[in-house]
Amino acid sequence: MTERSQRSADPADHVDSVDSATQAFVAHRNLLFTVAYEMLGSAADAEDVLQETWLRWVNVDLGTVREERAYLVRIVTRQALDRLRALGRRKESYVGPWLPEPLLTAPDVAEDVELAESVSMAMLLVLETLQPTERAVFVLREVFDLGYDEIAEAVDKSPSAVRQIAYRARAHVAARRPRGSASPAETRAALQAFQRAVETGELQSLLDVLAPDVVALSDGGGVRHALLRPVVGIDNVARLLAAGWWKRDAERSVELVQINGGPGLLIRVDGEIDGVVAVRVENGYVSGAYHVRNPEKLSRVERETAVTR
């Protein structure tokens, strides 16, 4: 990357340059946020990365930039990789299971099937099992369709090394992604069964859509009551549901909303947001249930966040 070695003596030239940089950054901002979010699983950290990207971008000599989108993606990838490595150390001391920060997304995100899958809770959890560079290469290649040469510049590897990393990452993800496709209607039906269980206490319709090996995870961040470890298997999850964590002296409402590109539940207690539930559905059955209660992760479910590619 080439930065300006000196400022123009003419203040007007500097203003024009900053304006041009701003226009380019704004034009690609949603894309850059999506790249950072898919690499980090955290909207708050993605926003920090965008701020760092802007500070570097505003000092770039635009006359040396052949393609602004690729250049910006390169900067945001490098900043996200640095942040991802730091996050790994923070997660080691996290209280209970760590889940991605949920986003309230627009309904049209679901129309782009590949984008919707890439930002889903289930896929973000799969990406968590990759090494940082593998995650960056997978996201840039499989989601955003960048060429190997472009990715090589972003991750400081040779194109041949990037090809090997991409192959390894694809195989890793393929072994862990949902084994059967689920339509939005199937996912919505599963969540509606959950909604009925919360609102009425009637569990059978929910138990009917749970897979035998279903896994339930909840993230309270050590601030809110949550499971300290995954609950695995339909019998164990059924006992958890029968305990009725929602049966408390509070006014509880459940709303079906669009979370991370697919249907999800927004839960309020006494009018305040209490948590979000997303599910992983395979062959019509819920194989994963993800309940986020950490207050620090719930700010993005009050307003839509734009994701794109």
Side-chain angles (χ1 to χ4, degrees), residues 185-223:
E186 287 177 317
T187 303
R188 191 177 300 109
L191 284 162
Q192 286 171 338
F194 194 106
Q195 184 177 16
R196 285 193 298 274
V198 175
E199 292 175 341
T200 69
E202 190 276 305
L203 295 179
Q204 191 57 51
S205 60
L206 178 56
L207 296 177
D208 288 342
V209 296
L210 295 182
D213 57 350
V214 61
V215 178
L217 298 169
S218 64
D219 178 345
V223 180

mmCIF file of all heavy atoms in Angstrom, residues 185-223:
data_model
loop_
_atom_site.group_PDB
_atom_site.id
_atom_site.type_symbol
_atom_site.label_atom_id
_atom_site.label_comp_id
_atom_site.label_asym_id
_atom_site.label_seq_id
_atom_site.Cartn_x
_atom_site.Cartn_y
_atom_site.Cartn_z
ATOM 1 N N ALA A 185 -39.178 -21.507 4.937
ATOM 2 C CA ALA A 185 -40.461 -21.921 5.507
ATOM 3 C C ALA A 185 -40.266 -22.967 6.598
ATOM 4 O O ALA A 185 -40.940 -22.929 7.644
ATOM 5 C CB ALA A 185 -41.369 -22.466 4.408
ATOM 6 N N GLU A 186 -39.326 -23.913 6.399
ATOM 7 C CA GLU A 186 -39.064 -24.937 7.420
ATOM 8 C C GLU A 186 -38.465 -24.311 8.678
ATOM 9 O O GLU A 186 -38.828 -24.663 9.801
ATOM 10 C CB GLU A 186 -38.105 -25.991 6.860
ATOM 11 C CG GLU A 186 -38.730 -26.926 5.827
ATOM 12 C CD GLU A 186 -37.724 -27.892 5.252
ATOM 13 O OE1 GLU A 186 -36.601 -27.465 4.937
ATOM 14 O OE2 GLU A 186 -38.068 -29.092 5.107
ATOM 15 N N THR A 187 -37.542 -23.373 8.480
ATOM 16 C CA THR A 187 -36.943 -22.694 9.624
ATOM 17 C C THR A 187 -37.976 -21.878 10.368
ATOM 18 O O THR A 187 -38.030 -21.875 11.603
ATOM 19 C CB THR A 187 -35.790 -21.784 9.159
ATOM 20 O OG1 THR A 187 -34.834 -22.567 8.443
ATOM 21 C CG2 THR A 187 -35.105 -21.117 10.340
ATOM 22 N N ARG A 188 -38.835 -21.198 9.617
ATOM 23 C CA ARG A 188 -39.888 -20.391 10.239
ATOM 24 C C ARG A 188 -40.844 -21.272 11.035
ATOM 25 O O ARG A 188 -41.253 -20.926 12.144
ATOM 26 C CB ARG A 188 -40.640 -19.608 9.160
ATOM 27 C CG ARG A 188 -41.580 -18.530 9.708
ATOM 28 C CD ARG A 188 -42.230 -17.737 8.579
ATOM 29 N NE ARG A 188 -41.228 -17.079 7.752
ATOM 30 C CZ ARG A 188 -40.920 -17.439 6.506
ATOM 31 N NH1 ARG A 188 -41.548 -18.484 5.940
ATOM 32 N NH2 ARG A 188 -40.020 -16.789 5.825
ATOM 33 N N ALA A 189 -41.187 -22.436 10.489
ATOM 34 C CA ALA A 189 -42.103 -23.350 11.189
ATOM 35 C C ALA A 189 -41.497 -23.827 12.498
ATOM 36 O O ALA A 189 -42.185 -23.930 13.527
ATOM 37 C CB ALA A 189 -42.439 -24.534 10.286
ATOM 38 N N ALA A 190 -40.192 -24.121 12.481
ATOM 39 C CA ALA A 190 -39.524 -24.564 13.702
ATOM 40 C C ALA A 190 -39.537 -23.460 14.758
ATOM 41 O O ALA A 190 -39.784 -23.721 15.948
ATOM 42 C CB ALA A 190 -38.084 -24.973 13.385
ATOM 43 N N LEU A 191 -39.300 -22.246 14.339
ATOM 44 C CA LEU A 191 -39.295 -21.135 15.290
ATOM 45 C C LEU A 191 -40.701 -20.813 15.799
ATOM 46 O O LEU A 191 -40.880 -20.406 16.950
ATOM 47 C CB LEU A 191 -38.657 -19.906 14.641
ATOM 48 C CG LEU A 191 -37.133 -19.992 14.557
ATOM 49 C CD1 LEU A 191 -36.589 -19.009 13.541
ATOM 50 C CD2 LEU A 191 -36.497 -19.739 15.919
ATOM 51 N N GLN A 192 -41.694 -21.003 14.950
ATOM 52 C CA GLN A 192 -43.067 -20.784 15.407
ATOM 53 C C GLN A 192 -43.457 -21.803 16.473
ATOM 54 O O GLN A 192 -44.196 -21.484 17.402
ATOM 55 C CB GLN A 192 -44.021 -20.834 14.210
ATOM 56 C CG GLN A 192 -43.931 -19.590 13.338
ATOM 57 C CD GLN A 192 -44.714 -19.716 12.038
ATOM 58 O OE1 GLN A 192 -44.992 -20.825 11.568
ATOM 59 N NE2 GLN A 192 -45.070 -18.592 11.444
ATOM 60 N N ALA A 193 -42.923 -23.040 16.342
ATOM 61 C CA ALA A 193 -43.160 -24.045 17.383
ATOM 62 C C ALA A 193 -42.512 -23.608 18.692
ATOM 63 O O ALA A 193 -43.091 -23.767 19.777
ATOM 64 C CB ALA A 193 -42.606 -25.398 16.933
ATOM 65 N N PHE A 194 -41.321 -23.035 18.601
ATOM 66 C CA PHE A 194 -40.650 -22.513 19.784
ATOM 67 C C PHE A 194 -41.452 -21.353 20.376
ATOM 68 O O PHE A 194 -41.640 -21.257 21.597
ATOM 69 C CB PHE A 194 -39.239 -22.043 19.410
ATOM 70 C CG PHE A 194 -38.351 -21.798 20.596
ATOM 71 C CD1 PHE A 194 -37.337 -22.687 20.908
ATOM 72 C CD2 PHE A 194 -38.517 -20.680 21.397
ATOM 73 C CE1 PHE A 194 -36.514 -22.474 22.002
ATOM 74 C CE2 PHE A 194 -37.700 -20.450 22.479
ATOM 75 C CZ PHE A 194 -36.696 -21.342 22.792
ATOM 76 N N GLN A 195 -41.951 -20.503 19.500
ATOM 77 C CA GLN A 195 -42.749 -19.356 19.947
ATOM 78 C C GLN A 195 -43.996 -19.812 20.699
ATOM 79 O O GLN A 195 -44.325 -19.286 21.765
ATOM 80 C CB GLN A 195 -43.137 -18.513 18.727
ATOM 81 C CG GLN A 195 -43.889 -17.226 19.066
ATOM 82 C CD GLN A 195 -44.176 -16.406 17.817
ATOM 83 O OE1 GLN A 195 -44.081 -16.902 16.693
ATOM 84 N NE2 GLN A 195 -44.497 -15.146 18.006
ATOM 85 N N ARG A 196 -44.679 -20.830 20.172
ATOM 86 C CA ARG A 196 -45.868 -21.348 20.851
ATOM 87 C C ARG A 196 -45.512 -21.932 22.210
ATOM 88 O O ARG A 196 -46.259 -21.779 23.187
ATOM 89 C CB ARG A 196 -46.540 -22.413 19.982
ATOM 90 C CG ARG A 196 -47.308 -21.861 18.805
ATOM 91 C CD ARG A 196 -48.217 -22.914 18.174
ATOM 92 N NE ARG A 196 -47.458 -24.050 17.642
ATOM 93 C CZ ARG A 196 -46.936 -24.073 16.420
ATOM 94 N NH1 ARG A 196 -47.072 -23.041 15.613
ATOM 95 N NH2 ARG A 196 -46.267 -25.140 16.008
ATOM 96 N N ALA A 197 -44.361 -22.608 22.281
ATOM 97 C CA ALA A 197 -43.940 -23.198 23.553
ATOM 98 C C ALA A 197 -43.731 -22.119 24.605
ATOM 99 O O ALA A 197 -44.120 -22.265 25.768
ATOM 100 C CB ALA A 197 -42.664 -24.007 23.353
ATOM 101 N N VAL A 198 -43.111 -21.011 24.210
ATOM 102 C CA VAL A 198 -42.866 -19.924 25.147
ATOM 103 C C VAL A 198 -44.172 -19.248 25.562
ATOM 104 O O VAL A 198 -44.387 -18.942 26.739
ATOM 105 C CB VAL A 198 -41.905 -18.885 24.542
ATOM 106 C CG1 VAL A 198 -41.747 -17.686 25.463
ATOM 107 C CG2 VAL A 198 -40.549 -19.518 24.268
ATOM 108 N N GLU A 199 -45.039 -19.048 24.589
ATOM 109 C CA GLU A 199 -46.261 -18.289 24.861
ATOM 110 C C GLU A 199 -47.328 -19.110 25.571
ATOM 111 O O GLU A 199 -48.102 -18.570 26.363
ATOM 112 C CB GLU A 199 -46.819 -17.729 23.543
ATOM 113 C CG GLU A 199 -45.931 -16.649 22.937
ATOM 114 C CD GLU A 199 -46.424 -16.176 21.580
ATOM 115 O OE1 GLU A 199 -47.222 -16.900 20.940
ATOM 116 O OE2 GLU A 199 -46.011 -15.090 21.149
ATOM 117 N N THR A 200 -47.361 -20.427 25.318
ATOM 118 C CA THR A 200 -48.455 -21.234 25.866
ATOM 119 C C THR A 200 -47.994 -22.329 26.818
ATOM 120 O O THR A 200 -48.811 -22.892 27.553
ATOM 121 C CB THR A 200 -49.241 -21.908 24.723
ATOM 122 O OG1 THR A 200 -48.419 -22.901 24.110
ATOM 123 C CG2 THR A 200 -49.672 -20.879 23.684
ATOM 124 N N GLY A 201 -46.688 -22.650 26.795
ATOM 125 C CA GLY A 201 -46.195 -23.750 27.617
ATOM 126 C C GLY A 201 -46.400 -25.111 26.984
ATOM 127 O O GLY A 201 -46.027 -26.137 27.562
ATOM 128 N N GLU A 202 -46.972 -25.149 25.781
ATOM 129 C CA GLU A 202 -47.231 -26.411 25.074
ATOM 130 C C GLU A 202 -45.955 -26.803 24.328
ATOM 131 O O GLU A 202 -45.533 -26.128 23.386
ATOM 132 C CB GLU A 202 -48.398 -26.216 24.094
ATOM 133 C CG GLU A 202 -48.915 -27.518 23.492
ATOM 134 C CD GLU A 202 -48.099 -27.944 22.279
ATOM 135 O OE1 GLU A 202 -47.975 -27.146 21.344
ATOM 136 O OE2 GLU A 202 -47.590 -29.077 22.289
ATOM 137 N N LEU A 203 -45.346 -27.909 24.750
ATOM 138 C CA LEU A 203 -44.031 -28.276 24.248
ATOM 139 C C LEU A 203 -44.039 -29.269 23.096
ATOM 140 O O LEU A 203 -43.071 -29.358 22.361
ATOM 141 C CB LEU A 203 -43.188 -28.879 25.381
ATOM 142 C CG LEU A 203 -42.808 -27.963 26.543
ATOM 143 C CD1 LEU A 203 -42.015 -28.750 27.566
ATOM 144 C CD2 LEU A 203 -42.012 -26.772 26.054
ATOM 145 N N GLN A 204 -45.123 -30.022 22.927
ATOM 146 C CA GLN A 204 -45.076 -31.148 22.003
ATOM 147 C C GLN A 204 -44.740 -30.725 20.576
ATOM 148 O O GLN A 204 -43.951 -31.386 19.893
ATOM 149 C CB GLN A 204 -46.402 -31.913 22.010
ATOM 150 C CG GLN A 204 -46.324 -33.257 21.272
ATOM 151 C CD GLN A 204 -45.232 -34.160 21.843
ATOM 152 O OE1 GLN A 204 -45.171 -34.391 23.046
ATOM 153 N NE2 GLN A 204 -44.339 -34.656 20.974
ATOM 154 N N SER A 205 -45.315 -29.620 20.116
ATOM 155 C CA SER A 205 -45.050 -29.192 18.738
ATOM 156 C C SER A 205 -43.576 -28.838 18.548
ATOM 157 O O SER A 205 -43.028 -29.018 17.450
ATOM 158 C CB SER A 205 -45.928 -28.004 18.361
ATOM 159 O OG SER A 205 -45.677 -26.902 19.222
ATOM 160 N N LEU A 206 -42.935 -28.361 19.617
ATOM 161 C CA LEU A 206 -41.507 -28.060 19.537
ATOM 162 C C LEU A 206 -40.674 -29.334 19.566
ATOM 163 O O LEU A 206 -39.742 -29.507 18.776
ATOM 164 C CB LEU A 206 -41.091 -27.123 20.675
ATOM 165 C CG LEU A 206 -39.612 -26.759 20.763
ATOM 166 C CD1 LEU A 206 -39.116 -26.157 19.461
ATOM 167 C CD2 LEU A 206 -39.376 -25.789 21.918
ATOM 168 N N LEU A 207 -41.032 -30.252 20.466
ATOM 169 C CA LEU A 207 -40.291 -31.515 20.545
ATOM 170 C C LEU A 207 -40.379 -32.292 19.238
ATOM 171 O O LEU A 207 -39.442 -33.005 18.871
ATOM 172 C CB LEU A 207 -40.834 -32.354 21.692
ATOM 173 C CG LEU A 207 -40.662 -31.764 23.107
ATOM 174 C CD1 LEU A 207 -41.307 -32.680 24.134
ATOM 175 C CD2 LEU A 207 -39.191 -31.549 23.419
ATOM 176 N N ASP A 208 -41.494 -32.133 18.530
ATOM 177 C CA ASP A 208 -41.676 -32.846 17.270
ATOM 178 C C ASP A 208 -40.703 -32.403 16.184
ATOM 179 O O ASP A 208 -40.488 -33.142 15.205
ATOM 180 C CB ASP A 208 -43.110 -32.659 16.754
ATOM 181 C CG ASP A 208 -44.132 -33.427 17.587
ATOM 182 O OD1 ASP A 208 -43.719 -34.344 18.315
ATOM 183 O OD2 ASP A 208 -45.331 -33.089 17.498
ATOM 184 N N VAL A 209 -40.113 -31.200 16.323
ATOM 185 C CA VAL A 209 -39.211 -30.710 15.272
ATOM 186 C C VAL A 209 -37.749 -30.713 15.712
ATOM 187 O O VAL A 209 -36.886 -30.212 15.002
ATOM 188 C CB VAL A 209 -39.609 -29.287 14.805
ATOM 189 C CG1 VAL A 209 -40.981 -29.301 14.166
ATOM 190 C CG2 VAL A 209 -39.524 -28.282 15.938
ATOM 191 N N LEU A 210 -37.452 -31.296 16.876
ATOM 192 C CA LEU A 210 -36.065 -31.376 17.324
ATOM 193 C C LEU A 210 -35.390 -32.636 16.772
ATOM 194 O O LEU A 210 -35.960 -33.722 16.824
ATOM 195 C CB LEU A 210 -35.988 -31.401 18.849
ATOM 196 C CG LEU A 210 -36.469 -30.155 19.603
ATOM 197 C CD1 LEU A 210 -36.275 -30.346 21.104
ATOM 198 C CD2 LEU A 210 -35.739 -28.913 19.122
ATOM 199 N N ALA A 211 -34.171 -32.471 16.273
ATOM 200 C CA ALA A 211 -33.395 -33.613 15.801
ATOM 201 C C ALA A 211 -32.896 -34.424 16.998
ATOM 202 O O ALA A 211 -32.707 -33.869 18.087
ATOM 203 C CB ALA A 211 -32.214 -33.137 14.967
ATOM 204 N N PRO A 212 -32.683 -35.737 16.845
ATOM 205 C CA PRO A 212 -32.214 -36.552 17.974
ATOM 206 C C PRO A 212 -30.911 -36.036 18.587
ATOM 207 O O PRO A 212 -30.706 -36.131 19.793
ATOM 208 C CB PRO A 212 -32.017 -37.941 17.338
ATOM 209 C CG PRO A 212 -32.937 -37.947 16.165
ATOM 210 C CD PRO A 212 -32.937 -36.542 15.645
ATOM 211 N N ASP A 213 -30.029 -35.463 17.753
ATOM 212 C CA ASP A 213 -28.736 -34.991 18.250
ATOM 213 C C ASP A 213 -28.688 -33.467 18.382
ATOM 214 O O ASP A 213 -27.621 -32.850 18.296
ATOM 215 C CB ASP A 213 -27.605 -35.462 17.334
ATOM 216 C CG ASP A 213 -27.806 -35.012 15.889
ATOM 217 O OD1 ASP A 213 -28.908 -34.496 15.565
ATOM 218 O OD2 ASP A 213 -26.868 -35.166 15.078
ATOM 219 N N VAL A 214 -29.840 -32.843 18.598
ATOM 220 C CA VAL A 214 -29.914 -31.384 18.706
ATOM 221 C C VAL A 214 -28.957 -30.867 19.781
ATOM 222 O O VAL A 214 -28.737 -31.502 20.809
ATOM 223 C CB VAL A 214 -31.366 -30.936 19.014
ATOM 224 C CG1 VAL A 214 -31.863 -31.516 20.327
ATOM 225 C CG2 VAL A 214 -31.467 -29.413 19.022
ATOM 226 N N VAL A 215 -28.367 -29.697 19.502
ATOM 227 C CA VAL A 215 -27.462 -29.041 20.442
ATOM 228 C C VAL A 215 -28.023 -27.665 20.776
ATOM 229 O O VAL A 215 -28.353 -26.889 19.868
ATOM 230 C CB VAL A 215 -26.048 -28.881 19.854
ATOM 231 C CG1 VAL A 215 -25.132 -28.156 20.842
ATOM 232 C CG2 VAL A 215 -25.464 -30.231 19.481
ATOM 233 N N ALA A 216 -28.153 -27.368 22.066
ATOM 234 C CA ALA A 216 -28.632 -26.065 22.520
ATOM 235 C C ALA A 216 -27.475 -25.298 23.159
ATOM 236 O O ALA A 216 -26.772 -25.818 24.024
ATOM 237 C CB ALA A 216 -29.775 -26.222 23.521
ATOM 238 N N LEU A 217 -27.271 -24.067 22.700
ATOM 239 C CA LEU A 217 -26.232 -23.204 23.234
ATOM 240 C C LEU A 217 -26.856 -21.881 23.660
ATOM 241 O O LEU A 217 -27.781 -21.378 22.999
ATOM 242 C CB LEU A 217 -25.163 -22.916 22.174
ATOM 243 C CG LEU A 217 -24.359 -24.085 21.616
ATOM 244 C CD1 LEU A 217 -23.560 -23.635 20.397
ATOM 245 C CD2 LEU A 217 -23.428 -24.625 22.673
ATOM 246 N N SER A 218 -26.367 -21.322 24.750
ATOM 247 C CA SER A 218 -26.819 -19.981 25.122
ATOM 248 C C SER A 218 -25.635 -19.168 25.604
ATOM 249 O O SER A 218 -24.683 -19.708 26.172
ATOM 250 C CB SER A 218 -27.926 -20.037 26.193
ATOM 251 O OG SER A 218 -27.453 -20.596 27.399
ATOM 252 N N ASP A 219 -25.696 -17.879 25.341
ATOM 253 C CA ASP A 219 -24.593 -16.959 25.603
ATOM 254 C C ASP A 219 -25.103 -15.808 26.460
ATOM 255 O O ASP A 219 -25.848 -14.956 25.993
ATOM 256 C CB ASP A 219 -24.055 -16.449 24.261
ATOM 257 C CG ASP A 219 -22.918 -15.448 24.410
ATOM 258 O OD1 ASP A 219 -22.718 -14.922 25.513
ATOM 259 O OD2 ASP A 219 -22.244 -15.180 23.397
ATOM 260 N N GLY A 220 -24.701 -15.831 27.740
ATOM 261 C CA GLY A 220 -25.056 -14.734 28.637
ATOM 262 C C GLY A 220 -23.873 -13.853 28.963
ATOM 263 O O GLY A 220 -24.014 -12.825 29.628
ATOM 264 N N GLY A 221 -22.682 -14.264 28.497
ATOM 265 C CA GLY A 221 -21.490 -13.460 28.711
ATOM 266 C C GLY A 221 -21.109 -13.263 30.164
ATOM 267 O O GLY A 221 -20.355 -12.348 30.490
ATOM 268 N N GLY A 222 -21.645 -14.118 31.050
ATOM 269 C CA GLY A 222 -21.369 -13.946 32.471
ATOM 270 C C GLY A 222 -22.176 -12.845 33.112
ATOM 271 O O GLY A 222 -22.033 -12.570 34.303
ATOM 272 N N VAL A 223 -23.074 -12.226 32.328
ATOM 273 C CA VAL A 223 -23.896 -11.106 32.815
ATOM 274 C C VAL A 223 -25.329 -11.558 33.048
ATOM 275 O O VAL A 223 -25.961 -11.199 34.044
ATOM 276 C CB VAL A 223 -23.867 -9.934 31.817
ATOM 277 C CG1 VAL A 223 -24.725 -8.768 32.317
ATOM 278 C CG2 VAL A 223 -22.434 -9.470 31.572
#
